[in-house]
Amino acid sequence: MVEVGVSSILSDMAAKTLKSEEALIGKHVEILHIDRDRDAIYYTQPREEVPELTTSALPALLEGSTLPAMAAVVEPAVSTPQLSVTVAALVDVPLQALDVVHALVTHKLKRLLADVSTLKSIKALVDGKSTLQNEIVGDLHKEFGSKVPDKAEELSLQDLAAAIGAFGGGLGKHTQAQLARLFGNKMPGGFSLSSTRSVLQSVYGLGLQRQDALFLVALTMEPSSRLSGNAEAKTWLGTVAEAYAAKAGISYAAASAGGGPSGQAGAPVISSAEMEKMQQKQHEHIRQQIQ
């Protein structure tokens, strides 16, 4: 049973009632709320795309005539000099209230960040749409709680962010729920929030707080429909990363290869795209042998 509403009042009441009734009816009823249990409702847990090579599958591979073909694929990766795909880590900076307010309002208006002035108030931006105005103010309360001042809709976004002040420096309940929805509804299977964080750290050199800031930009650049595959999703992520870099005034600089001092020759460098292409070919070959 799923409750769709602002808070989980009814689902909490139902859970308490059914707790005493389940023993009598002999069945378990799962109670979910649209915000609290979003991952379970939308099945956003990452799925394994490549089956694990278990020990039970090894004898068939070792006894078959396909061993030389597999060795031909694996050997170059073993004998090749160490590969480096890291980039220079950028200094992490705390998330600012204005970043959250600006992205939250822009996302609700279904516009781009550049098209929403932080010098304007929510009231001016919604252009007389009172329902939309109330929804935005409600989202702000979900995100910041009691830190949202009275008549928030009449303040410019800059003044509103200043009134909110320090707020903990992380994504709140509302933005986290919207990100879960974005990845659950618009990204291909396996392209999860956690795997995206790994890419942002290893490929772009972004720390956790800069990753949060980039995800806010991502909300305002949400695809209109589900992306067809990882290649399309990575292209979208690259576009978001460039938009965040332009907004934050940063650039993604490659680190020195092999971990050596800057300017010295190190291990050969291969792009992350080429590395993933090689790994995909190896995985595909192994999958064919198992099947």
Side-chain angles (χ1 to χ4, degrees):
M1 185 169 71
V2 180
E3 178 185 1
V4 179
V6 177
S7 61
S8 58
I9 296 175
L10 296 178
S11 56
D12 291 342
M13 291 172 62
K16 290 179 181 178
T17 303
L18 288 171
K19 189 174 182 181
S20 60
E21 298 292 336
E22 283 178 352
L24 297 176
I25 63 177
K27 294 181 180 179
H28 172 68
V29 180
E30 188 173 8
I31 309 295
L32 304 175
H33 183 265
I34 189 68
D35 283 335
R36 182 188 62 200
D37 307 297
R38 185 170 291 271
D39 287 350
I41 294 170
Y42 288 103
Y43 299 96
T44 58
Q45 292 83 357
R47 299 190 297 273
E48 288 291 338
E49 294 184 351
V50 181
E52 265 189 45
L53 185 60
T54 60
T55 53
S56 61
L58 286 176
L61 292 176
L62 293 175
E63 292 173 7
S65 60
T66 56
L67 183 59
M70 287 187 64
V73 176
V74 177
E75 278 179 6
V78 175
S79 59
T80 302
Q82 186 178 5
L83 301 175
S84 173
V85 293
T86 58
V87 297
L90 293 163
V91 176
D92 216 5
V93 294
L95 195 62
Q96 302 298 313
L98 182 58
D99 296 330
V100 182
V101 171
H102 193 196
L104 189 152
V105 173
T106 300
H107 178 247
K108 198 72 175 183
L109 295 174
K110 297 180 180 180
R111 301 180 191 172
L112 295 176
L113 287 168
D115 298 331
V116 177
S117 172
T118 58
L119 298 177
K120 291 185 176 181
S121 66
I122 296 172
K123 190 173 184 178
L125 290 167
V126 300
D127 195 24
K129 298 175 183 175
S130 58
T131 302
L132 180 58
Q133 174 181 298
N134 293 337
E135 288 178 358
I136 292 175
V137 174
D139 291 344
L140 288 170
H141 279 284
K142 289 180 187 177
E143 186 74 13
F144 298 109
S146 60
K147 288 185 173 293
V148 179
D150 293 335
K151 297 184 178 181
E153 67 278 5
E154 297 181 1
L155 300 175
S156 70
L157 300 189
Q158 288 186 3
D159 291 341
L160 175 56
I164 291 171
F167 64 99
L171 298 177
K173 179 180 178 181
H174 176 72
T175 48
Q176 287 184 40
Q178 292 304 307
L179 277 175
R181 182 194 54 78
L182 167 62
F183 277 82
N185 294 350
K186 301 299 177 66
M187 297 297 114
F191 200 85
S192 64
L193 191 60
S194 59
S195 64
T196 303
R197 283 192 180 276
S198 298
V199 171
L200 293 178
Q201 182 175 18
S202 61
V203 178
Y204 295 98
L206 300 179
L208 287 176
Q209 295 180 96
R210 282 195 182 275
Q211 290 173 26
D212 286 345
L214 182 143
F215 283 137
L216 291 174
V217 176
L219 284 177
T220 68
M221 300 174 66
E222 179 177 346
S224 57
S225 59
R226 183 183 289 274
L227 301 182
S228 59
N230 282 356
E232 191 176 2
K234 287 169 186 173
T235 300
W236 171 80
L237 182 61
T239 304
V240 173
E242 291 304 320
Y244 168 70
K247 180 177 182 295
I250 60 172
S251 59
Y252 305 114
S256 58
S262 179
Q264 293 185 357
V269 177
I270 184 171
S271 71
S272 60
E274 289 299 321
M275 172 68 80
E276 289 172 0
K277 189 181 296 183
M278 291 170 57
Q279 291 174 341
Q280 183 63 31
K281 287 181 179 178
Q282 292 179 6
H283 292 163
E284 184 64 29
H285 184 80
I286 293 172
R287 185 190 294 110
Q288 290 173 357
Q289 303 310 314
I290 293 175
Q291 292 172 348

